[in-house]
Every structure is written in C-alpha cells, then in structure tokens.
Amino acid sequence: MIGRITGRLAEKNPPQILVDVNGVGYELEVPMSTFYGLPATGQAVSLSTHLAVREDGHFLYGFATEDERAAFRQLLKVAGIGARTALAVLSGLSVADLAQAIALQESGRLVKIPGIGKKTAERLLLELRDKLAKALPAVAGSVATSLPGGDRADIINALLALGYNEKEALGAAKTLPEGIGVSDGIRQALKGLSKA
C-alpha cells in the first residue's frame, strides 16, 4: 500500500496532479480542498495517499491531511459511494463541515454538492453518523465543542425525548436567549416549534 508520496509537483490539471518522485511520475487525483493548497509547479509536495486497486486499474488519491484521507475512506464504505463521489464531497465541504453536517443531520448541505441527491445525502447521514466521529476524533471533538452545553444541552435532550429530531431541537435551542433556564427554555422552544 502506498501511504505517502513526497516529491516534486510536476503537473496540475484539476482534479489530477503528477508528482515526480526521483524520476518516477505518480498520477494522483485530489479533492479541490487539497488542490487549492498545493504549491506551485516544480515545488516540493508531500501528500497522504489512498491506493485503490480495481479490475480496470490502480488508482492513487492524494490528500493534504490525514483527516481528509480518513474521511475519504469512511465515505468509500458507504454503499453506492465511489471514489469520484467521495472526492466531490471533500471538494464541496471541508472535513470539519462534513463532520458538522453529519452530527447535525443536515442533508441540505450535502445536496448542494454536485452529484449528491436527496437519497444519497440521507444514506450518508445515516451510515456515517457514528463512524465519522470514531475515524476523526479530533474533528469530532471540535464539532462537539461548537454544540451547545449546560442548560441548552438539557433543553435539547428534553426536545429529543419529546420526539423532535436533532435538527429541530438544535434549531429551536439557537433561538433562545442566553442564560435562559431549562424549564423556560423548553417552554419557549416548544412555542417556537409549534409555530413552525
């Protein structure tokens, strides 16, 4: 397995690049998030890689970070998601944004990516819900800290227990004023949700 490529960037033709490693040119496909961070042609470059061996050939994919590669590998495990679609997802969303969209179950962010329809987005949300957090503990930790804590967490948990989904509960909690108590927060959130 080829895990890392370090050499001179010989060509850039999005989404494909050519890295010269001591006279041997390796063709890699990269997500646009990696492509935009590449140095100028002729400069040194080092990328984490994923090698896919299929009947029709060997394909090498390059990533600027280990988190991108881990997310790519998790995306490939989802039924019906191939390498092209996984690259499209990582080109359309950063790893942190993808983790947040999955944590908040926001299919709307995924369907904005070319090639991702409503059913595919829902499948991604369902299958990656727990897996992405395990594969990317650092990213999942930063997403978790951006979610509300304390009284807001209690309000959200109460709304979830009442049958609202995570997106509805988080949306309702965002509309509440700072420092509101749990019981008042639940009451106001329920009023807001009943109007929606």
Side-chain angles (χ1 to χ4, degrees):
M1 183 78 137
I2 299 172
R4 176 169 289 282
I5 293 279
T6 301
R8 184 182 57 83
L9 186 58
E11 291 179 23
K12 296 195 308 188
N13 300 310
Q16 220 172 44
I17 63 170
L18 182 70
V19 178
D20 184 321
V21 181
N22 298 325
V24 178
Y26 290 90
E27 285 184 355
L28 295 93
E29 286 196 38
V30 297
M32 296 313 288
S33 53
T34 293
F35 188 85
Y36 293 134
L38 289 172
T41 304
Q43 299 293 314
V45 66
S46 184
L47 299 169
S48 296
T49 60
H50 175 83
L51 176 65
V53 179
R54 299 194 316 240
E55 287 179 17
D56 55 341
H58 293 43
F59 301 91
L60 197 56
Y61 302 95
F63 307 94
T65 67
E66 291 294 326
D67 284 344
E68 272 189 339
R69 180 173 69 175
F72 178 80
R73 288 176 171 171
Q74 287 300 317
L75 286 164
L76 289 180
K77 291 178 184 177
V78 176
I81 301 294
R84 292 244 182 246
T85 305
L87 285 178
V89 169
L90 292 174
S91 294
L93 291 173
S94 70
V95 175
D97 288 342
L98 175 63
Q100 187 176 37
I102 289 167
L104 300 177
Q105 295 291 289
E106 294 179 334
S107 63
R109 289 170 81 176
L110 295 174
V111 296
K112 291 179 183 173
I113 299 167
I116 303 291
K118 189 171 174 29
K119 285 186 178 180
T120 304
E122 288 171 359
R123 190 175 332 115
L124 284 169
L125 293 177
L126 178 69
E127 292 194 32
L128 292 179
R129 185 169 188 163
D130 299 324
K131 294 176 186 170
L132 200 62
K134 288 177 187 163
L136 307 166
V139 174
S142 67
V143 169
T145 58
S146 69
L147 297 176
D151 287 347
R152 288 195 188 269
D154 291 340
I155 295 166
I156 290 167
N157 286 332
L159 295 172
L160 292 171
L162 291 170
Y164 291 98
N165 66 37
E166 195 169 350
K167 186 177 178 182
E168 291 169 328
L170 286 167
K174 285 179 186 175
T175 64
L176 299 174
E178 287 295 319
I180 192 166
V182 176
S183 59
D184 289 337
I186 294 169
R187 240 188 316 276
Q188 284 190 28
L190 288 171
K191 281 182 188 175
L193 287 165
S194 68
K195 293 176 184 173

